[in-house]
Amino acid sequence: MGRREGPLKESAALHHGIDILAIDVCGEGAPAEVIRTAIQRWGRIDHLINNAGATAVMRLADTDERTITNLLA
């Protein structure tokens, strides 16, 4: 799962058994869509790990509150 379908497809093509879902987990309704899609594809969810994250390389002096909030939200 990720936001950019192209890179997801490239990774999935290298490994058998990988299924993708291009979605921004911060988008409205996205968590429900992830659950709905998983159940639709596999019938159930045995484990769910939230490992979404973001990063930004910048000097601390050059950042602002909104950037930090977006990285940690």
Side-chain angles (χ1 to χ4, degrees):
M1 181 172 53
R3 290 180 284 186
R4 298 177 308 155
E5 188 173 36
L8 291 172
K9 284 183 175 180
E10 288 176 22
S11 293
L14 298 173
H15 305 282
H16 175 71
I18 293 178
D19 204 354
I20 68 165
L21 174 61
I23 192 168
D24 182 348
V25 296
C26 292
E28 187 173 331
E33 179 63 22
V34 170
I35 299 298
R36 185 171 33 257
T37 300
I39 292 172
Q40 196 174 44
R41 289 181 186 178
W42 300 295
R44 67 182 198 208
I45 297 175
D46 293 326
H47 304 281
L48 185 60
I49 300 168
N50 179 9
N51 192 32
T55 188
V57 178
M58 70 190 87
R59 294 177 345 134
L60 183 58
D62 294 337
T63 193
D64 57 30
E65 182 180 351
R66 181 181 178 132
T67 301
I68 298 299
T69 299
N70 287 340
L71 289 172
L72 301 176

Coordinates of all heavy atoms in Angstrom, one line a residue:
M1 N 0.8 -1.2 0.0 CA 0.0 0.0 0.0 C 0.9 1.2 0.0 O 1.9 1.3 0.7 CB -0.9 0.0 1.2 CG -1.8 1.2 1.3 SD -3.0 1.0 2.6 CE -2.0 0.8 4.0
G2 N 0.5 2.2 -0.8 CA 1.2 3.5 -0.9 C 0.4 4.4 -1.7 O -0.7 4.1 -2.2
R3 N 0.9 5.6 -1.9 CA 0.2 6.6 -2.6 C 0.5 6.6 -4.1 O -0.4 7.0 -4.9 CB 0.5 8.0 -2.1 CG 0.0 8.3 -0.7 CD 0.3 9.6 -0.3 NE 1.7 9.6 0.1 CZ 2.4 10.6 0.7 NH1 1.8 11.7 0.9 NH2 3.6 10.5 1.1
R4 N 1.6 6.1 -4.5 CA 2.0 6.1 -6.0 C 1.9 4.8 -6.6 O 2.7 3.9 -6.3 CB 3.4 6.7 -6.1 CG 3.4 8.2 -5.6 CD 4.8 8.8 -5.6 NE 5.7 7.9 -4.9 CZ 7.0 7.8 -5.2 NH1 7.6 8.6 -6.0 NH2 7.8 7.0 -4.5
E5 N 1.0 4.6 -7.5 CA 0.7 3.3 -8.1 C 1.9 2.8 -8.9 O 2.2 1.6 -8.8 CB -0.5 3.4 -9.0 CG -1.0 2.0 -9.4 CD -2.3 2.1 -10.2 OE1 -2.6 3.1 -10.9 OE2 -3.1 1.1 -10.0
G6 N 2.6 3.6 -9.6 CA 3.7 3.2 -10.5 C 4.8 2.4 -9.7 O 5.1 1.3 -10.0
P7 N 5.3 3.1 -8.7 CA 6.3 2.3 -7.9 C 5.8 1.1 -7.2 O 6.5 0.1 -7.1 CB 6.8 3.4 -6.8 CG 6.5 4.7 -7.5 CD 5.3 4.5 -8.3
L8 N 4.5 1.1 -6.8 CA 4.0 -0.1 -6.2 C 3.9 -1.2 -7.2 O 4.3 -2.4 -6.9 CB 2.5 0.2 -5.7 CG 2.4 1.1 -4.5 CD1 1.0 1.4 -4.2 CD2 3.1 0.5 -3.3
K9 N 3.5 -0.9 -8.4 CA 3.4 -2.0 -9.5 C 4.8 -2.5 -9.8 O 5.0 -3.7 -10.0 CB 2.8 -1.4 -10.7 CG 1.3 -1.3 -10.6 CD 0.7 -0.8 -11.9 CE -0.8 -0.7 -11.8 NZ -1.5 -0.3 -13.1
E10 N 5.8 -1.6 -9.8 CA 7.2 -2.1 -10.1 C 7.7 -3.0 -9.0 O 8.3 -4.1 -9.4 CB 8.1 -0.8 -10.2 CG 8.0 0.0 -11.4 CD 8.8 1.3 -11.3 OE1 9.9 1.3 -10.6 OE2 8.5 2.2 -12.0
S11 N 7.4 -2.7 -7.8 CA 7.8 -3.6 -6.7 C 7.1 -4.9 -6.8 O 7.7 -6.0 -6.6 CB 7.6 -3.0 -5.3 OG 8.5 -1.9 -5.2
A12 N 5.8 -4.9 -7.0 CA 5.0 -6.1 -7.0 C 5.4 -7.0 -8.2 O 5.3 -8.2 -8.1 CB 3.5 -5.7 -7.2
A13 N 5.8 -6.4 -9.3 CA 6.3 -7.2 -10.4 C 7.5 -8.0 -10.1 O 7.8 -9.1 -10.8 CB 6.5 -6.3 -11.6
L14 N 8.3 -7.6 -9.1 CA 9.5 -8.3 -8.8 C 9.3 -9.5 -7.9 O 10.2 -10.3 -7.7 CB 10.5 -7.3 -8.2 CG 10.9 -6.2 -9.0 CD1 11.8 -5.2 -8.2 CD2 11.7 -6.7 -10.2
H15 N 8.1 -9.6 -7.2 CA 7.9 -10.6 -6.2 C 6.5 -11.2 -6.4 O 5.5 -10.5 -6.4 CB 8.0 -10.0 -4.8 CG 9.3 -9.3 -4.6 ND1 10.5 -10.0 -4.3 CD2 9.6 -8.0 -4.6 CE1 11.5 -9.1 -4.2 NE2 11.0 -7.9 -4.3
H16 N 6.5 -12.5 -6.5 CA 5.2 -13.2 -6.6 C 4.4 -13.1 -5.3 O 4.9 -13.1 -4.2 CB 5.5 -14.7 -6.8 CG 4.2 -15.5 -6.9 ND1 3.3 -15.5 -7.9 CD2 3.7 -16.4 -6.0 CE1 2.3 -16.3 -7.6 NE2 2.5 -16.9 -6.5
G17 N 3.1 -12.9 -5.5 CA 2.2 -12.9 -4.4 C 1.9 -11.5 -3.7 O 1.3 -11.4 -2.7
I18 N 2.5 -10.4 -4.3 CA 2.3 -9.1 -3.8 C 1.1 -8.5 -4.5 O 1.0 -8.5 -5.7 CB 3.5 -8.2 -4.0 CG1 4.7 -8.7 -3.1 CG2 3.2 -6.8 -3.6 CD1 6.0 -7.9 -3.2
D19 N 0.2 -8.0 -3.7 CA -1.0 -7.3 -4.3 C -0.9 -5.8 -3.8 O -0.4 -5.6 -2.7 CB -2.3 -7.9 -3.8 CG -3.5 -7.6 -4.7 OD1 -3.3 -6.8 -5.6 OD2 -4.5 -8.2 -4.4
I20 N -1.3 -4.9 -4.6 CA -1.1 -3.5 -4.3 C -2.4 -2.7 -4.1 O -3.5 -3.2 -4.6 CB -0.3 -2.7 -5.3 CG1 -1.1 -2.6 -6.6 CG2 1.1 -3.4 -5.5 CD1 -0.5 -1.6 -7.6
L21 N -2.4 -1.6 -3.3 CA -3.5 -0.7 -3.2 C -2.9 0.7 -3.1 O -2.2 1.0 -2.2 CB -4.3 -1.0 -1.9 CG -5.4 0.0 -1.6 CD1 -6.4 0.0 -2.7 CD2 -6.0 -0.3 -0.3
A22 N -3.1 1.5 -4.2 CA -2.6 2.8 -4.2 C -3.6 3.7 -3.5 O -4.7 3.9 -4.0 CB -2.4 3.3 -5.6
I23 N -3.3 4.3 -2.4 CA -4.2 5.1 -1.6 C -3.4 5.9 -0.6 O -2.3 5.5 -0.1 CB -5.2 4.2 -0.8 CG1 -6.3 5.0 -0.3 CG2 -4.5 3.4 0.2 CD1 -7.5 4.2 0.2
D24 N -3.9 7.1 -0.3 CA -3.3 8.0 0.7 C -4.0 7.7 2.0 O -5.2 8.1 2.1 CB -3.4 9.5 0.3 CG -2.8 10.4 1.3 OD1 -2.4 10.0 2.4 OD2 -2.7 11.6 0.9
V25 N -3.3 7.1 3.0 CA -4.0 6.8 4.2 C -4.5 7.9 5.0 O -5.3 7.8 5.9 CB -3.2 5.8 5.1 CG1 -2.9 4.5 4.4 CG2 -1.9 6.5 5.5
C26 N -4.1 9.1 4.6 CA -4.6 10.3 5.3 C -5.8 10.9 4.7 O -6.5 11.8 5.2 CB -3.5 11.4 5.3 SG -2.1 11.0 6.3
G27 N -6.2 10.3 3.6 CA -7.4 10.8 2.9 C -8.7 10.4 3.6 O -8.7 9.4 4.3
E28 N -9.7 11.2 3.4 CA -11.0 10.9 4.0 C -11.5 9.5 3.6 O -11.6 9.3 2.4 CB -12.0 12.0 3.7 CG -13.3 11.8 4.4 CD -14.3 13.0 4.2 OE1 -13.8 14.1 4.0 OE2 -15.5 12.8 4.3
G29 N -11.9 8.7 4.5 CA -12.4 7.4 4.2 C -11.3 6.3 3.8 O -11.7 5.2 3.6
A30 N -10.1 6.7 3.8 CA -9.0 5.8 3.4 C -8.9 4.6 4.3 O -8.8 3.5 3.8 CB -7.7 6.5 3.2
P31 N -8.9 4.8 5.6 CA -8.8 3.6 6.5 C -9.9 2.6 6.2 O -9.6 1.4 6.2 CB -8.8 4.2 7.9 CG -8.3 5.6 7.8 CD -8.8 6.0 6.4
A32 N -11.1 3.0 6.1 CA -12.2 2.1 5.8 C -12.0 1.4 4.5 O -12.3 0.2 4.3 CB -13.5 2.9 5.9
E33 N -11.5 2.2 3.5 CA -11.2 1.6 2.2 C -10.2 0.5 2.2 O -10.3 -0.5 1.6 CB -10.8 2.7 1.2 CG -10.6 2.2 -0.2 CD -11.8 1.5 -0.9 OE1 -12.9 1.9 -0.5 OE2 -11.6 0.7 -1.9
V34 N -9.1 0.7 3.0 CA -8.1 -0.3 3.2 C -8.7 -1.6 3.8 O -8.5 -2.7 3.2 CB -7.0 0.2 4.1 CG1 -6.0 -0.9 4.5 CG2 -6.2 1.3 3.4
I35 N -9.5 -1.5 4.8 CA -10.1 -2.6 5.4 C -11.1 -3.3 4.4 O -11.1 -4.5 4.3 CB -10.9 -2.2 6.7 CG1 -10.0 -1.6 7.7 CG2 -11.7 -3.4 7.3 CD1 -8.9 -2.5 8.2
R36 N -11.9 -2.5 3.8 CA -12.9 -3.0 2.8 C -12.2 -3.8 1.7 O -12.6 -4.9 1.3 CB -13.7 -1.9 2.3 CG -14.9 -2.3 1.4 CD -15.8 -1.2 1.0 NE -15.2 0.2 0.9 CZ -15.3 1.2 1.8 NH1 -16.0 1.0 2.9 NH2 -14.7 2.3 1.6
T37 N -11.1 -3.2 1.2 CA -10.4 -3.9 0.1 C -9.7 -5.2 0.5 O -9.8 -6.2 -0.2 CB -9.3 -2.9 -0.5 OG1 -10.0 -1.7 -1.0 CG2 -8.5 -3.5 -1.6
A38 N -9.1 -5.2 1.7 CA -8.5 -6.4 2.2 C -9.5 -7.5 2.4 O -9.3 -8.7 2.0 CB -7.8 -6.1 3.6
I39 N -10.6 -7.2 3.0 CA -11.7 -8.2 3.2 C -12.2 -8.7 1.9 O -12.5 -9.9 1.7 CB -12.8 -7.7 4.1 CG1 -12.2 -7.5 5.5 CG2 -14.0 -8.6 4.1 CD1 -13.1 -6.9 6.5
Q40 N -12.4 -7.8 0.9 CA -12.9 -8.2 -0.4 C -11.9 -9.1 -1.1 O -12.3 -10.1 -1.8 CB -13.1 -6.9 -1.2 CG -13.9 -7.0 -2.5 CD -14.1 -5.6 -3.1 OE1 -13.2 -4.8 -3.2 NE2 -15.3 -5.3 -3.4
R41 N -10.6 -8.8 -1.0 CA -9.6 -9.6 -1.7 C -9.3 -10.9 -1.0 O -9.1 -12.0 -1.7 CB -8.3 -8.8 -1.8 CG -8.3 -7.7 -2.7 CD -7.0 -6.9 -2.8 NE -7.2 -5.8 -3.7 CZ -6.2 -4.9 -3.9 NH1 -5.0 -5.1 -3.4 NH2 -6.5 -3.8 -4.7
W42 N -9.2 -11.0 0.3 CA -8.8 -12.2 1.0 C -9.8 -12.7 2.0 O -9.6 -13.8 2.6 CB -7.5 -11.9 1.8 CG -6.4 -11.5 0.8 CD1 -5.9 -12.2 -0.2 CD2 -5.8 -10.2 0.7 NE1 -4.9 -11.5 -0.9 CE2 -4.9 -10.2 -0.3 CE3 -5.9 -9.0 1.4 CZ2 -4.1 -9.1 -0.7 CZ3 -5.2 -7.9 1.1 CH2 -4.3 -8.0 0.0
G43 N -11.0 -12.1 2.2 CA -12.0 -12.6 3.0 C -11.9 -12.3 4.5 O -12.9 -12.5 5.2
R44 N -10.7 -11.9 4.9 CA -10.6 -11.6 6.3 C -9.2 -10.8 6.5 O -8.4 -10.8 5.6 CB -10.6 -12.8 7.2 CG -9.4 -13.7 6.9 CD -9.4 -15.0 7.7 NE -8.1 -15.6 7.7 CZ -7.8 -16.8 7.9 NH1 -8.9 -17.7 8.0 NH2 -6.6 -17.3 7.9
I45 N -9.1 -10.3 7.7 CA -7.8 -9.7 8.1 C -7.3 -10.4 9.4 O -8.0 -10.5 10.4 CB -8.0 -8.2 8.4 CG1 -8.4 -7.5 7.2 CG2 -6.7 -7.6 9.0 CD1 -8.7 -6.0 7.4
D46 N -6.1 -11.0 9.3 CA -5.6 -11.7 10.5 C -4.7 -10.8 11.3 O -4.7 -10.8 12.5 CB -4.7 -12.9 10.0 CG -5.6 -14.0 9.4 OD1 -6.7 -14.2 9.8 OD2 -5.1 -14.7 8.5
H47 N -4.0 -9.9 10.6 CA -3.1 -8.9 11.3 C -3.2 -7.6 10.5 O -3.3 -7.6 9.3 CB -1.6 -9.4 11.3 CG -1.5 -10.7 11.9 ND1 -1.4 -10.9 13.3 CD2 -1.3 -12.0 11.3 CE1 -1.3 -12.2 13.5 NE2 -1.2 -12.9 12.3
L48 N -3.0 -6.5 11.2 CA -3.0 -5.2 10.6 C -1.9 -4.4 11.3 O -1.9 -4.2 12.5 CB -4.3 -4.5 10.8 CG -4.5 -3.1 10.0 CD1 -4.3 -3.3 8.5 CD2 -5.8 -2.5 10.3
I49 N -0.9 -3.9 10.5 CA 0.2 -3.1 11.0 C 0.1 -1.8 10.3 O 0.2 -1.7 9.1 CB 1.5 -3.8 10.7 CG1 1.5 -5.2 11.4 CG2 2.7 -3.0 11.2 CD1 2.7 -6.1 10.9
N50 N 0.1 -0.7 11.1 CA 0.1 0.6 10.6 C 1.6 1.1 10.6 O 2.2 1.3 11.6 CB -0.7 1.6 11.5 CG -0.7 3.0 11.0 OD1 -0.2 3.3 10.0 ND2 -1.2 3.9 11.8
N51 N 2.1 1.1 9.4 CA 3.5 1.5 9.2 C 3.6 2.6 8.2 O 4.6 2.7 7.5 CB 4.3 0.3 8.7 CG 5.8 0.5 8.8 OD1 6.2 1.2 9.7 ND2 6.5 -0.1 7.9
A52 N 2.6 3.5 8.1 CA 2.7 4.6 7.2 C 3.6 5.7 7.8 O 3.7 5.8 9.0 CB 1.3 5.2 7.0
G53 N 4.3 6.4 7.0 CA 5.2 7.4 7.5 C 5.6 8.3 6.4 O 5.4 8.1 5.2
A54 N 6.2 9.4 6.8 CA 6.7 10.4 5.9 C 8.0 11.0 6.4 O 8.3 10.9 7.6 CB 5.7 11.5 5.7
T55 N 8.8 11.6 5.6 CA 10.0 12.3 6.0 C 10.2 13.5 5.2 O 9.7 13.6 4.1 CB 11.2 11.3 5.9 OG1 12.3 11.9 6.5 CG2 11.5 11.0 4.5
A56 N 11.0 14.4 5.7 CA 11.4 15.6 5.0 C 12.8 15.9 5.4 O 13.1 16.0 6.6 CB 10.4 16.7 5.2
V57 N 13.7 16.2 4.4 CA 15.0 16.5 4.8 C 15.1 18.0 4.7 O 14.9 18.6 3.6 CB 16.0 15.8 3.8 CG1 17.5 16.3 4.1 CG2 15.9 14.3 3.9
M58 N 15.4 18.7 5.8 CA 15.6 20.1 5.9 C 16.3 20.5 7.2 O 16.3 19.7 8.1 CB 14.2 20.8 5.8 CG 13.4 20.6 7.1 SD 11.7 21.0 7.0 CE 11.0 19.5 6.4
R59 N 16.8 21.7 7.2 CA 17.4 22.2 8.4 C 16.2 22.6 9.3 O 15.2 23.0 8.9 CB 18.2 23.5 8.1 CG 19.4 23.2 7.3 CD 20.2 24.5 7.0 NE 19.5 25.7 7.2 CZ 20.0 26.8 7.8 NH1 21.2 26.8 8.3 NH2 19.2 27.9 8.0
L60 N 16.4 22.3 10.6 CA 15.4 22.6 11.6 C 15.0 24.1 11.5 O 13.8 24.4 11.6 CB 15.8 22.2 13.0 CG 14.8 22.4 14.1 CD1 13.5 21.6 13.9 CD2 15.4 22.1 15.4
A61 N 15.9 25.0 11.3 CA 15.6 26.4 11.2 C 14.7 26.8 10.0 O 14.1 27.8 10.0 CB 16.9 27.2 11.2
D62 N 14.7 25.9 9.0 CA 13.9 26.1 7.8 C 12.5 25.5 7.8 O 11.8 25.7 6.9 CB 14.6 25.6 6.6 CG 15.9 26.3 6.3 OD1 16.1 27.5 6.8 OD2 16.8 25.7 5.7
T63 N 12.1 24.8 8.9 CA 10.9 24.2 8.9 C 9.8 25.1 9.6 O 10.1 26.1 10.1 CB 10.9 22.8 9.6 OG1 9.8 22.1 9.4 CG2 11.2 23.0 11.1
D64 N 8.6 24.6 9.5 CA 7.5 25.3 10.2 C 6.5 24.3 10.9 O 6.7 23.1 10.7 CB 6.7 26.2 9.2 CG 6.2 25.4 8.0 OD1 5.8 24.3 8.2 OD2 6.1 26.0 6.9
E65 N 5.6 24.9 11.6 CA 4.7 24.0 12.4 C 3.9 23.1 11.5 O 3.6 21.9 11.8 CB 3.7 24.9 13.2 CG 2.8 24.1 14.1 CD 1.9 25.0 14.9 OE1 2.0 26.2 14.9 OE2 0.9 24.4 15.5
R66 N 3.4 23.6 10.3 CA 2.6 22.8 9.4 C 3.3 21.6 8.9 O 2.8 20.4 8.9 CB 2.0 23.6 8.3 CG 1.2 22.8 7.4 CD 0.7 23.6 6.2 NE -0.1 22.8 5.3 CZ -1.3 23.1 4.9 NH1 -1.8 24.3 5.2 NH2 -2.0 22.3 4.1
T67 N 4.6 21.8 8.5 CA 5.4 20.7 8.0 C 5.6 19.6 9.1 O 5.4 18.4 8.8 CB 6.8 21.2 7.6 OG1 6.6 22.2 6.6 CG2 7.7 20.1 7.1
I68 N 5.9 20.0 10.3 CA 6.1 19.0 11.4 C 4.8 18.3 11.7 O 4.8 17.1 11.8 CB 6.6 19.8 12.7 CG1 8.0 20.4 12.4 CG2 6.6 18.8 13.9 CD1 9.0 19.4 12.0
T69 N 3.7 19.0 11.7 CA 2.4 18.4 12.0 C 2.1 17.4 10.9 O 1.6 16.3 11.2 CB 1.3 19.5 12.0 OG1 1.6 20.3 13.1 CG2 -0.1 18.8 12.2
N70 N 2.3 17.7 9.6 CA 2.1 16.7 8.5 C 2.9 15.5 8.6 O 2.5 14.4 8.2 CB 2.2 17.4 7.2 CG 1.1 18.4 6.9 OD1 0.0 18.3 7.4 ND2 1.4 19.3 6.0
L71 N 4.1 15.7 9.1 CA 5.0 14.5 9.2 C 4.6 13.6 10.3 O 4.8 12.4 10.2 CB 6.5 15.0 9.4 CG 7.2 15.6 8.3 CD1 8.5 16.2 8.7 CD2 7.4 14.6 7.1
L72 N 4.1 14.1 11.4 CA 3.8 13.3 12.6 C 2.3 12.9 12.7 O 2.0 12.1 13.5 CB 4.2 14.1 13.9 CG 5.7 14.5 13.9 CD1 5.9 15.3 15.2 CD2 6.5 13.2 13.9
A73 N 1.5 13.5 11.9 CA 0.0 13.2 11.9 C -0.3 11.9 11.4 O 0.4 11.3 10.5 CB -0.8 14.3 11.2

